[in-house]
Amino acid sequence: MTKKSGLRENHNRHVLEFSRRAGSYSEHNIIQKKVAQKLIGSITSRPRRILDLGCGSGAIHDLIDWEIESFTGIDKADQMCALHPRGEHITLLQADFEDLKLLKSLGHFDMVISSSALQWASNLPRLLDHIASMTDEVAFAIFCDGTFETIYRMTGMEQFLPKSTQLRKLLESKFACRCEIERYRLDFPNNISKFRYIKRSGVSGGERRLSVKETRRLIREYPHSYLEFEVLFCVGKTL
Ligand SMILES: C[S@@+](CC[C@H](N)C(=O)[O-])C[C@H]1O[C@@H](n2cnc3c(N)ncnc32)[C@H](O)[C@@H]1O
């Protein structure tokens, strides 16, 4: 699969095969990788000064296939920053991307990118306002409440991810943008591997919300061979 085509070359577009080779870091980030590929593939301008919020181990940096002048990545996790590529044009900041003072100090960018990270912002409207003041263009991929929807339905747990319809409205009120909502299904050989994936992938936010008894029931009774993911893609310009 080429970088640009993302999921499109997959004949069964949103159903991805779960690799049985257990244990590797990348395996547990299959969806985030696909998301980053699609996000980068949807950028048609060629921004030269880029800020990546929640840059992680460098998925976005590694996918950029045009010449750039500077790349600034912010991530609060030191283990992720440690895995990020280094280079003269790269500035890595181990920090909270909602630290507005820090953002103010960074100056102006051609594009602010964020892939699979903004769903954790504690005040997304405020952060988006600030982003709008510091860049010409934006490209975001944000996990939404259709993610793990069967689990939430079965357990009655409160979903912490944003509602895709509301998020779309919010983004369209702040940017001249194109929004697209994608649903993915990731197939697993059994229910235990699904819950292991949730734990290791980081998509769930890492908080433990279920009792052991409830987790056991889920593993026994979860009805599908797949987990669901919903991601909102937004690419556009500041107003
Ligand atoms: C699922 S990973 C995605 C990483 C990368 N963007 C990618 O596409 O592979 C989300 C990243 O966001 C970071 N993150 C979440 N909330 C953050 C915050 N408030 N400030 C800085 N980093 C944050 C996490 O540490 C994590 O590395």
Side-chain angles (χ1 to χ4, degrees), residues 32 54-56 59 75-77 80 95-97 115-117 120:
Q32 286 103 313
C55 59
D75 203 291
K76 67 180 178 188
M80 299 302 266
D96 183 348
F97 57 52
S115 191
S116 307
W120 288 316

Side-chain angles (χ1 to χ4, degrees), residues 5-222:
S5 60
L7 287 179
R8 291 182 202 288
E9 283 179 20
N10 191 328
H11 66 283
N12 200 359
R13 196 155 155 248
H14 293 167
V15 183
L16 305 168
E17 262 303 305
F18 179 69
S19 157
R20 281 158 201 262
R21 279 170 289 136
S24 78
Y25 169 78
S26 59
E27 177 186 292
H28 296 106
N29 291 277
I30 273 180
I31 294 291
Q32 286 103 313
K33 278 196 167 173
K34 295 286 168 196
V35 166
Q37 283 167 354
K38 181 178 162 68
L39 185 64
I40 288 291
S42 59
I43 297 170
T44 51
S45 62
R46 290 293 173 254
R48 291 177 58 82
R49 286 166 301 156
I50 293 174
L51 173 65
D52 182 6
L53 302 179
C55 59
S57 56
I60 288 296
H61 177 271
D62 292 349
L63 285 164
I64 292 173
D65 59 2
W66 62 89
E67 203 153 309
I68 58 172
E69 197 178 296
S70 68
F71 184 97
T72 305
I74 302 182
D75 203 291
K76 67 180 178 188
D78 55 350
Q79 315 95 289
M80 299 302 266
C81 289
L83 294 170
H84 198 286
R86 312 264 152 172
E88 273 191 8
H89 67 293
I90 301 175
T91 306
L92 277 183
L93 301 166
Q94 192 207 325
D96 183 348
F97 57 52
E98 292 192 87
D99 179 345
L100 300 189
K101 245 195 207 158
L102 170 74
L103 293 182
K104 261 190 199 129
S105 73
L106 298 178
H108 200 82
F109 293 87
D110 295 335
M111 180 174 271
V112 173
I113 302 185
S114 183
S115 191
S116 307
L118 288 183
Q119 66 274 2
W120 288 316
S122 59
N123 189 339
L124 188 57
R126 190 185 63 171
L127 178 58
L128 292 176
D129 278 339
H130 197 82
I131 291 171
S133 73
M134 62 186 299
T135 184
D136 296 333
E137 293 185 277
V138 293
F140 305 136
I142 305 173
F143 278 79
C144 293
D145 68 336
T147 300
F148 305 147
E149 66 182 344
T150 302
I151 294 176
Y152 281 96
R153 202 177 319 117
M154 284 175 73
T155 59
M157 275 189 311
E158 203 185 323
Q159 177 58 281
F160 81 101
L161 292 167
K163 274 198 187 332
S164 49
T165 43
Q166 287 173 7
L167 181 58
R168 180 180 209 144
K169 272 193 199 138
L170 176 69
L171 290 161
E172 287 174 348
S173 74
K174 300 198 184 286
F175 303 101
C177 58
R178 207 165 17 86
C179 287
E180 190 188 340
I181 294 161
E182 283 273 18
R183 288 174 169 271
Y184 300 91
R185 285 178 179 178
L186 185 57
D187 261 336
F188 291 84
N190 54 51
N191 277 352
I192 286 190
S193 57
K194 284 180 201 110
F195 292 97
R196 210 174 278 146
Y197 180 92
I198 293 175
K199 212 168 144 202
R200 293 182 187 168
S201 68
V203 181
S204 68
E207 280 176 43
R208 192 185 173 84
R209 292 186 184 81
L210 284 182
S211 66
V212 173
K213 198 174 157 199
E214 267 181 310
T215 309
R216 285 209 183 112
R217 181 177 76 82
L218 261 183
I219 292 173
R220 233 180 15 249
E221 296 176 11
Y222 186 82

